[in-house]
Amino acid sequence: QVQLVQSGAEVKKPGASVKISCKASGYTFSTYGISWVRQAPRQGLEWMGWISTSNANTDFAQKLQGRVTMTTDTSTSTAYMELWSLRSDDTAVYYCARDSCTDGVCYIDYWGQGTLVTVAS
Amino acid sequence: QAVLTQPPSASGTPGQKVTISCSGSSSNIGSNYVYWYQQLPGTAPKLLIYRNDQRPSGVPDRFSGSKSGTSASLAISGLRSEDEADYYCATWDDSLRGWVFGGGTKLTVL
């Protein structure tokens, strides 16, 4: 079965960076993209961006441009998201999610369990 | 503020039918498919409806989706206590060039 297993919770100081991993299993990693979505405490969902696992193309939410990088390691079926210059409002649960595409239309079908990132001094 | 507008809460008694709305614009719902996700307390979201009205395997047919113009809705019939969760609509926004979500609707089964 499809599984996305993320790395554990992180506590970071303002200005630092955080890198979260997402290991996929149960499907062919390179045939599905990976999106990252975050959820601040008691808030809704916010799409952060997407990476193609076949050619490493990326697309980021405008508000995060310049502060986020997304990479993949196809040898280990793992995706990574790194967020720089952390602020208190970056405190959130971060999810990786699989993008399923059919006829050029893509959507998120499976989600990781989430990684809590707390930014505090 | 979420790009898509959902009511913050909804409720119903067991066996009832509940409908959750999701309002957008021509650049998002009006020109793209709508998706619905269910988030049970303390868990990751789960895909409930894709391409406006399609159910993934394993999702009960009590859940149905529809779309008209720049609005969409999720209907849950035969309400059960385990349906108590947060529900989010989502779609692609052509102007923002990204996925957008509704603010979420907390469903309470009385």
Side-chain angles (χ1 to χ4, degrees):
Chain A
Q1 72 283 20
V2 174
Q3 277 196 309
L4 299 168
V5 178
Q6 299 181 221
S7 49
E10 303 263 13
V11 179
K12 296 291 182 180
K13 294 191 183 303
S17 65
V18 67
K19 188 172 185 177
I20 301 169
S21 67
C22 168
K23 185 171 176 58
S25 62
Y27 70 97
T28 303
F29 182 70
S30 59
T31 59
Y32 295 83
I34 293 287
S35 280
W36 291 86
V37 177
R38 68 180 180 178
Q39 185 172 33
R42 296 169 300 281
Q43 299 295 314
L45 302 167
E46 178 188 14
W47 179 76
M48 299 178 67
W50 163 89
I51 182 167
S52 165
T53 54
S54 58
N55 60 19
N57 283 349
T58 53
D59 194 8
F60 302 129
Q62 292 170 3
K63 69 176 285 188
L64 293 174
Q65 292 273 2
R67 278 212 303 140
V68 64
T69 58
M70 294 178 187
T71 57
T72 62
D73 181 346
T74 54
S75 68
T76 60
S77 300
T78 303
Y80 300 90
M81 186 283 297
E82 188 164 16
L83 188 62
W84 308 82
S85 302
L86 290 169
R87 309 187 290 247
S88 58
D89 62 356
D90 290 318
T91 294
V93 174
Y94 289 75
Y95 294 102
C96 64
R98 190 182 81 163
D99 266 41
S100 182
C101 299
T102 306
D103 300 329
V105 176
C106 301
Y107 60 94
I108 292 172
D109 61 354
Y110 287 94
W111 299 67
Q113 85 277 18
T115 296
L116 175 61
V117 175
T118 303
V119 182
S121 54
Chain B
Q1 274 71 358
V3 173
L4 306 179
T5 302
Q6 296 181 236
S9 64
S11 63
T13 56
Q16 271 191 331
K17 179 179 179 178
V18 168
T19 301
I20 297 171
S21 62
C22 175
S23 178
S25 68
S26 58
S27 66
N28 44 64
I29 291 179
S31 49
N32 295 291
Y33 288 114
V34 176
Y35 303 82
W36 289 91
Y37 297 91
Q38 177 193 58
Q39 186 175 33
L40 296 170
T43 70
K46 168 191 166 185
L47 179 64
L48 210 56
I49 297 288
Y50 67 100
R51 294 196 177 197
N52 300 335
D53 56 10
Q54 302 298 301
R55 280 186 310 277
S57 60
V59 174
D61 59 6
R62 302 186 296 106
F63 294 90
S64 62
S66 64
K67 171 187 149 177
S68 178
T70 59
S71 294
S73 61
L74 171 72
I76 309 171
S77 60
L79 204 58
R80 303 175 68 160
S81 58
E82 57 259 41
D83 298 333
E84 198 160 274
D86 293 327
Y87 292 85
Y88 293 91
C89 58
T91 188
W92 181 263
D93 191 294
D94 294 332
S95 295
L96 296 174
R97 286 190 43 77
W99 281 91
V100 292
F101 292 89
T105 298
K106 183 176 183 61
L107 174 64
T108 301
V109 181
L110 303 169

